[in-house]
């Protein structure tokens, strides 16, 4: 598995030491999941953490952003928890 680093102060993400651009919402989703490794995080909690109050929150907005995160960071980074939300593994 690749090493992924998130720096919440600089809002920089790296994969195997190489910088990867994550838009604001995607970075916030990853940061929220990374702060709870091994724990399931439901979609509504991810919406609250990732999106400003005034931003449109479509039914699948988090799902669409997770697809984009997987394209940027790797398919195995975020695990889907059916009918609940998402998680990242410990370690």
């Amino acid at each position: 598995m690749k090493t992924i680093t998130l720096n919440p102060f600089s809002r920089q993400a790296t994969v195997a030491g190489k910088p990867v651009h994550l838009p604001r919402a995607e970075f916030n989703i990853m940061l929220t999941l990374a702060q709870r490794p091994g724990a399931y995080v439901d979609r509504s909690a991810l919406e609250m953490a990732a999106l400003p109050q005034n931003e449109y929150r479509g039914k699948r907005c988090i799902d669409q952003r997770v697809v984009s995160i997987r394209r940027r960071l790797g398919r195995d980074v975020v695990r889907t928890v059916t009918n609940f939300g998402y998680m990242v593994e410990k370690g």
Side-chain angles (χ1 to χ4, degrees):
M1 183 178 267
K2 301 176 236 172
T3 300
I4 297 171
T5 305
L6 300 171
N7 184 322
F9 302 106
S10 65
R11 304 200 50 83
Q12 299 277 326
T14 62
V15 176
K18 296 181 181 175
V20 176
H21 172 71
L22 287 178
R24 175 188 42 84
E26 293 173 21
F27 187 91
N28 290 345
I29 289 169
M30 278 304 300
L31 188 59
T32 301
L33 292 170
Q35 290 170 337
R36 299 165 183 85
Y40 306 124
V41 181
D42 67 33
R43 286 175 180 85
S44 63
L46 291 173
E47 281 183 16
M48 296 300 292
L51 304 173
Q53 290 285 345
N54 60 349
E55 188 169 321
Y56 173 70
R57 298 172 186 215
K59 187 174 183 177
R60 307 281 298 177
C61 68
I62 295 299
D63 300 335
Q64 292 166 346
R65 284 178 169 87
V66 168
V67 168
S68 181
I69 290 168
R70 287 176 174 151
R71 269 196 304 261
R72 294 171 196 270
L73 302 182
R75 185 140 184 82
D76 59 341
V77 171
V78 179
R79 184 175 140 212
T80 299
V81 182
T82 305
N83 297 320
F84 187 76
Y86 298 96
M87 70 177 289
V88 294
E89 300 290 338
K90 284 186 178 181

